[in-house]
Amino acid sequence: MPVKRSASVAALPPAGRRARARLCLRLAAPLSFLLLLAALLRAQPLLGVLPPAAPPPAAGPAKVAFLFLVRAGVPLDFLWEAFFRSGEEGRFSVYVHSAPGFQLDRTTTGSPYFYGRQLARSVKVVWGEATMVEAERLLFAAALQDPANQRFVLLSDSCVPLYNFSYIYTYLMASPKSFVDSFVDKTEKRYNQNMSPAIPKDKWRKGSQWVVLIRKHAEVVVGDRNVLQVFRRHCKMVVTQRLLGRRPNARRLGFNLRRNQKGAALQEHDCIPDEHYVQTLFSIKGLEDELERRTLTYTSWNQSSNPKDKMTWHPMKFEYDSSSPEQISAIKSIDHVNYQMEYRTEWCQCNGTSVPCFLFARKFSYSAAMHLLEQGVIGPPKSAQLLVNF
């Protein structure tokens, strides 16, 4: 005997069967759409989250991506030309963030290594604003498009290499960690309480913007949205008459001059994003154990105590006379960095081997860079050895 459900279906009159068929057709379209949407959501990454890191191609070596953050052209291109020429093709790539609309070609650079290497998309960078961080993120994002890029070196237009390509490549590939200068400065007042809870005060960090990242950490920087938004709102540089002196100087540097503010208002907004963003982001993400907490780029700071010296705690510029082989050798001989705020001494090591602390230096003038080239200063170290298995 047939079951009642089957009997009832079979017993439907023709009109009832047609109505039921129409109902099924009306339900089928939205149901199919929902199933398709669910499949797409499973297949695509969420907004702001990058897919897993792509391994390097099996057919080629891992690359070091050199990321130049410049105003327009690359003034020291002749020195970098010699550096890249000493390297092995296929082990490095070059990316340049310059002013929007600027093109690198035979009319703007003398080095073919920079031809057409400007980013297709760039932003107008203003020092002391989040646009500096945005430009850095654009460089990392462009370099991540090549799965062979495994190390990412952020450089300014006044940076120079202190060694040849082979040594720098070996040094970077020997370490599984990123090199990020990061520390807690208890004397500065840049943290804004309005950053909480997205940025807790105990996660606030400071350091040099000139970082070297492994691929995983470059993806973290590019994938971030929340921390960057907080920096855009609450981390801004306040430029005052006292800081820059006469108004024409401020205009020449491209700053928007603001009236001086007093007390908490000044402390709340006086913040330089590029000295905090990457360090604070990695602190929030719990990545500090994956870092060598030091920079690979040497800077000589003006530590004058003269109140009339407007360049106090600004980087000193290397000129021809101050870039002799002896002075460069002194930089190369540095093997540790003291962080007085944290009572910490960072002994420079790479994969457990003692090494020089710095691979690059800034700020070098054209004549200083020419001096390096003339004297043949850029060469392999005499004593440091790296044990690397490629």
Side-chain angles (χ1 to χ4, degrees), residues 186-198:
K186 297 180 180 179
T187 65
E188 57 94 8
K189 307 296 182 182
R190 293 178 177 177
Y191 180 78
N192 186 336
Q193 294 295 338
N194 292 326
M195 294 177 177
S196 181

mmCIF file with all atom_site columns, all heavy atoms in Angstrom, residues 186-198:
data_model
loop_
_atom_site.group_PDB
_atom_site.id
_atom_site.type_symbol
_atom_site.label_atom_id
_atom_site.label_alt_id
_atom_site.label_comp_id
_atom_site.label_asym_id
_atom_site.label_entity_id
_atom_site.label_seq_id
_atom_site.pdbx_PDB_ins_code
_atom_site.Cartn_x
_atom_site.Cartn_y
_atom_site.Cartn_z
_atom_site.occupancy
_atom_site.B_iso_or_equiv
_atom_site.pdbx_formal_charge
_atom_site.auth_seq_id
_atom_site.auth_comp_id
_atom_site.auth_asym_id
_atom_site.auth_atom_id
_atom_site.pdbx_PDB_model_num
ATOM 1   N N   . LYS A 1 186 ? 59.443 56.195 27.140 1.00 0.00 ? 186 LYS A N   1
ATOM 2   C CA  . LYS A 1 186 ? 58.591 56.665 28.231 1.00 0.00 ? 186 LYS A CA  1
ATOM 3   C C   . LYS A 1 186 ? 58.619 58.172 28.404 1.00 0.00 ? 186 LYS A C   1
ATOM 4   O O   . LYS A 1 186 ? 57.842 58.734 29.173 1.00 0.00 ? 186 LYS A O   1
ATOM 5   C CB  . LYS A 1 186 ? 59.016 55.985 29.534 1.00 0.00 ? 186 LYS A CB  1
ATOM 6   C CG  . LYS A 1 186 ? 58.831 54.468 29.506 1.00 0.00 ? 186 LYS A CG  1
ATOM 7   C CD  . LYS A 1 186 ? 59.259 53.834 30.820 1.00 0.00 ? 186 LYS A CD  1
ATOM 8   C CE  . LYS A 1 186 ? 59.073 52.326 30.773 1.00 0.00 ? 186 LYS A CE  1
ATOM 9   N NZ  . LYS A 1 186 ? 59.517 51.670 32.042 1.00 0.00 ? 186 LYS A NZ  1
ATOM 10  N N   . THR A 1 187 ? 59.534 58.857 27.684 1.00 0.00 ? 187 THR A N   1
ATOM 11  C CA  . THR A 1 187 ? 59.638 60.312 27.846 1.00 0.00 ? 187 THR A CA  1
ATOM 12  C C   . THR A 1 187 ? 58.783 61.082 26.851 1.00 0.00 ? 187 THR A C   1
ATOM 13  O O   . THR A 1 187 ? 58.493 62.254 27.062 1.00 0.00 ? 187 THR A O   1
ATOM 14  C CB  . THR A 1 187 ? 61.096 60.763 27.680 1.00 0.00 ? 187 THR A CB  1
ATOM 15  O OG1 . THR A 1 187 ? 61.530 60.498 26.323 1.00 0.00 ? 187 THR A OG1 1
ATOM 16  C CG2 . THR A 1 187 ? 61.999 60.011 28.647 1.00 0.00 ? 187 THR A CG2 1
ATOM 17  N N   . GLU A 1 188 ? 58.391 60.434 25.733 1.00 0.00 ? 188 GLU A N   1
ATOM 18  C CA  . GLU A 1 188 ? 57.642 61.179 24.719 1.00 0.00 ? 188 GLU A CA  1
ATOM 19  C C   . GLU A 1 188 ? 56.145 61.138 25.025 1.00 0.00 ? 188 GLU A C   1
ATOM 20  O O   . GLU A 1 188 ? 55.646 60.241 25.689 1.00 0.00 ? 188 GLU A O   1
ATOM 21  C CB  . GLU A 1 188 ? 57.946 60.634 23.320 1.00 0.00 ? 188 GLU A CB  1
ATOM 22  C CG  . GLU A 1 188 ? 57.661 59.157 23.126 1.00 0.00 ? 188 GLU A CG  1
ATOM 23  C CD  . GLU A 1 188 ? 56.274 58.906 22.567 1.00 0.00 ? 188 GLU A CD  1
ATOM 24  O OE1 . GLU A 1 188 ? 55.611 59.881 22.190 1.00 0.00 ? 188 GLU A OE1 1
ATOM 25  O OE2 . GLU A 1 188 ? 55.863 57.752 22.524 1.00 0.00 ? 188 GLU A OE2 1
ATOM 26  N N   . LYS A 1 189 ? 55.423 62.130 24.522 1.00 0.00 ? 189 LYS A N   1
ATOM 27  C CA  . LYS A 1 189 ? 54.003 62.304 24.834 1.00 0.00 ? 189 LYS A CA  1
ATOM 28  C C   . LYS A 1 189 ? 53.135 62.184 23.589 1.00 0.00 ? 189 LYS A C   1
ATOM 29  O O   . LYS A 1 189 ? 52.107 62.850 23.470 1.00 0.00 ? 189 LYS A O   1
ATOM 30  C CB  . LYS A 1 189 ? 53.782 63.680 25.478 1.00 0.00 ? 189 LYS A CB  1
ATOM 31  C CG  . LYS A 1 189 ? 54.668 63.960 26.682 1.00 0.00 ? 189 LYS A CG  1
ATOM 32  C CD  . LYS A 1 189 ? 54.371 63.016 27.835 1.00 0.00 ? 189 LYS A CD  1
ATOM 33  C CE  . LYS A 1 189 ? 55.230 63.344 29.058 1.00 0.00 ? 189 LYS A CE  1
ATOM 34  N NZ  . LYS A 1 189 ? 54.986 62.417 30.173 1.00 0.00 ? 189 LYS A NZ  1
ATOM 35  N N   . ARG A 1 190 ? 53.525 61.343 22.663 1.00 0.00 ? 190 ARG A N   1
ATOM 36  C CA  . ARG A 1 190 ? 52.801 61.270 21.401 1.00 0.00 ? 190 ARG A CA  1
ATOM 37  C C   . ARG A 1 190 ? 51.556 60.396 21.456 1.00 0.00 ? 190 ARG A C   1
ATOM 38  O O   . ARG A 1 190 ? 50.687 60.510 20.605 1.00 0.00 ? 190 ARG A O   1
ATOM 39  C CB  . ARG A 1 190 ? 53.732 60.765 20.301 1.00 0.00 ? 190 ARG A CB  1
ATOM 40  C CG  . ARG A 1 190 ? 54.853 61.731 19.965 1.00 0.00 ? 190 ARG A CG  1
ATOM 41  C CD  . ARG A 1 190 ? 55.777 61.152 18.908 1.00 0.00 ? 190 ARG A CD  1
ATOM 42  N NE  . ARG A 1 190 ? 56.822 62.100 18.532 1.00 0.00 ? 190 ARG A NE  1
ATOM 43  C CZ  . ARG A 1 190 ? 57.792 61.821 17.680 1.00 0.00 ? 190 ARG A CZ  1
ATOM 44  N NH1 . ARG A 1 190 ? 57.858 60.625 17.117 1.00 0.00 ? 190 ARG A NH1 1
ATOM 45  N NH2 . ARG A 1 190 ? 58.709 62.732 17.393 1.00 0.00 ? 190 ARG A NH2 1
ATOM 46  N N   . TYR A 1 191 ? 51.480 59.500 22.410 1.00 0.00 ? 191 TYR A N   1
ATOM 47  C CA  . TYR A 1 191 ? 50.299 58.632 22.473 1.00 0.00 ? 191 TYR A CA  1
ATOM 48  C C   . TYR A 1 191 ? 49.064 59.446 22.813 1.00 0.00 ? 191 TYR A C   1
ATOM 49  O O   . TYR A 1 191 ? 49.064 60.260 23.741 1.00 0.00 ? 191 TYR A O   1
ATOM 50  C CB  . TYR A 1 191 ? 50.499 57.528 23.510 1.00 0.00 ? 191 TYR A CB  1
ATOM 51  C CG  . TYR A 1 191 ? 49.297 56.605 23.624 1.00 0.00 ? 191 TYR A CG  1
ATOM 52  C CD1 . TYR A 1 191 ? 49.088 55.615 22.678 1.00 0.00 ? 191 TYR A CD1 1
ATOM 53  C CD2 . TYR A 1 191 ? 48.384 56.746 24.661 1.00 0.00 ? 191 TYR A CD2 1
ATOM 54  C CE1 . TYR A 1 191 ? 47.993 54.768 22.761 1.00 0.00 ? 191 TYR A CE1 1
ATOM 55  C CE2 . TYR A 1 191 ? 47.282 55.910 24.761 1.00 0.00 ? 191 TYR A CE2 1
ATOM 56  C CZ  . TYR A 1 191 ? 47.089 54.927 23.806 1.00 0.00 ? 191 TYR A CZ  1
ATOM 57  O OH  . TYR A 1 191 ? 45.999 54.101 23.893 1.00 0.00 ? 191 TYR A OH  1
ATOM 58  N N   . ASN A 1 192 ? 48.002 59.204 22.060 1.00 0.00 ? 192 ASN A N   1
ATOM 59  C CA  . ASN A 1 192 ? 46.728 59.891 22.246 1.00 0.00 ? 192 ASN A CA  1
ATOM 60  C C   . ASN A 1 192 ? 45.729 58.915 22.849 1.00 0.00 ? 192 ASN A C   1
ATOM 61  O O   . ASN A 1 192 ? 45.499 57.831 22.296 1.00 0.00 ? 192 ASN A O   1
ATOM 62  C CB  . ASN A 1 192 ? 46.239 60.398 20.876 1.00 0.00 ? 192 ASN A CB  1
ATOM 63  C CG  . ASN A 1 192 ? 44.993 61.251 20.980 1.00 0.00 ? 192 ASN A CG  1
ATOM 64  O OD1 . ASN A 1 192 ? 44.236 61.139 21.922 1.00 0.00 ? 192 ASN A OD1 1
ATOM 65  N ND2 . ASN A 1 192 ? 44.781 62.092 19.983 1.00 0.00 ? 192 ASN A ND2 1
ATOM 66  N N   . GLN A 1 193 ? 45.130 59.275 23.956 1.00 0.00 ? 193 GLN A N   1
ATOM 67  C CA  . GLN A 1 193 ? 44.178 58.384 24.625 1.00 0.00 ? 193 GLN A CA  1
ATOM 68  C C   . GLN A 1 193 ? 43.011 58.009 23.725 1.00 0.00 ? 193 GLN A C   1
ATOM 69  O O   . GLN A 1 193 ? 42.369 56.969 23.914 1.00 0.00 ? 193 GLN A O   1
ATOM 70  C CB  . GLN A 1 193 ? 43.658 59.049 25.906 1.00 0.00 ? 193 GLN A CB  1
ATOM 71  C CG  . GLN A 1 193 ? 44.700 59.247 26.989 1.00 0.00 ? 193 GLN A CG  1
ATOM 72  C CD  . GLN A 1 193 ? 45.245 57.937 27.545 1.00 0.00 ? 193 GLN A CD  1
ATOM 73  O OE1 . GLN A 1 193 ? 44.602 56.889 27.449 1.00 0.00 ? 193 GLN A OE1 1
ATOM 74  N NE2 . GLN A 1 193 ? 46.438 57.986 28.127 1.00 0.00 ? 193 GLN A NE2 1
ATOM 75  N N   . ASN A 1 194 ? 42.721 58.842 22.738 1.00 0.00 ? 194 ASN A N   1
ATOM 76  C CA  . ASN A 1 194 ? 41.635 58.535 21.818 1.00 0.00 ? 194 ASN A CA  1
ATOM 77  C C   . ASN A 1 194 ? 41.961 57.353 20.908 1.00 0.00 ? 194 ASN A C   1
ATOM 78  O O   . ASN A 1 194 ? 41.082 56.843 20.207 1.00 0.00 ? 194 ASN A O   1
ATOM 79  C CB  . ASN A 1 194 ? 41.303 59.759 20.959 1.00 0.00 ? 194 ASN A CB  1
ATOM 80  C CG  . ASN A 1 194 ? 40.695 60.879 21.778 1.00 0.00 ? 194 ASN A CG  1
ATOM 81  O OD1 . ASN A 1 194 ? 39.967 60.639 22.742 1.00 0.00 ? 194 ASN A OD1 1
ATOM 82  N ND2 . ASN A 1 194 ? 40.996 62.113 21.415 1.00 0.00 ? 194 ASN A ND2 1
ATOM 83  N N   . MET A 1 195 ? 43.219 56.919 20.902 1.00 0.00 ? 195 MET A N   1
ATOM 84  C CA  . MET A 1 195 ? 43.592 55.749 20.106 1.00 0.00 ? 195 MET A CA  1
ATOM 85  C C   . MET A 1 195 ? 43.063 54.456 20.720 1.00 0.00 ? 195 MET A C   1
ATOM 86  O O   . MET A 1 195 ? 42.932 53.445 20.017 1.00 0.00 ? 195 MET A O   1
ATOM 87  C CB  . MET A 1 195 ? 45.112 55.660 19.982 1.00 0.00 ? 195 MET A CB  1
ATOM 88  C CG  . MET A 1 195 ? 45.740 56.788 19.201 1.00 0.00 ? 195 MET A CG  1
ATOM 89  S SD  . MET A 1 195 ? 47.549 56.627 19.184 1.00 0.00 ? 195 MET A SD  1
ATOM 90  C CE  . MET A 1 195 ? 48.010 58.011 18.137 1.00 0.00 ? 195 MET A CE  1
ATOM 91  N N   . SER A 1 196 ? 42.794 54.466 21.996 1.00 0.00 ? 196 SER A N   1
ATOM 92  C CA  . SER A 1 196 ? 42.268 53.291 22.681 1.00 0.00 ? 196 SER A CA  1
ATOM 93  C C   . SER A 1 196 ? 40.789 53.108 22.326 1.00 0.00 ? 196 SER A C   1
ATOM 94  O O   . SER A 1 196 ? 40.072 54.102 22.144 1.00 0.00 ? 196 SER A O   1
ATOM 95  C CB  . SER A 1 196 ? 42.438 53.464 24.198 1.00 0.00 ? 196 SER A CB  1
ATOM 96  O OG  . SER A 1 196 ? 41.967 52.343 24.893 1.00 0.00 ? 196 SER A OG  1
ATOM 97  N N   . PRO A 1 197 ? 40.291 51.884 22.226 1.00 0.00 ? 197 PRO A N   1
ATOM 98  C CA  . PRO A 1 197 ? 40.947 50.604 22.538 1.00 0.00 ? 197 PRO A CA  1
ATOM 99  C C   . PRO A 1 197 ? 41.664 49.963 21.354 1.00 0.00 ? 197 PRO A C   1
ATOM 100 O O   . PRO A 1 197 ? 42.286 48.920 21.519 1.00 0.00 ? 197 PRO A O   1
ATOM 101 C CB  . PRO A 1 197 ? 39.775 49.731 22.975 1.00 0.00 ? 197 PRO A CB  1
ATOM 102 C CG  . PRO A 1 197 ? 38.638 50.206 22.114 1.00 0.00 ? 197 PRO A CG  1
ATOM 103 C CD  . PRO A 1 197 ? 38.837 51.701 21.973 1.00 0.00 ? 197 PRO A CD  1
ATOM 104 N N   . ALA A 1 198 ? 41.565 50.549 20.154 1.00 0.00 ? 198 ALA A N   1
ATOM 105 C CA  . ALA A 1 198 ? 42.209 49.933 18.991 1.00 0.00 ? 198 ALA A CA  1
ATOM 106 C C   . ALA A 1 198 ? 43.713 49.816 19.199 1.00 0.00 ? 198 ALA A C   1
ATOM 107 O O   . ALA A 1 198 ? 44.338 48.819 18.804 1.00 0.00 ? 198 ALA A O   1
ATOM 108 C CB  . ALA A 1 198 ? 41.909 50.743 17.732 1.00 0.00 ? 198 ALA A CB  1
#
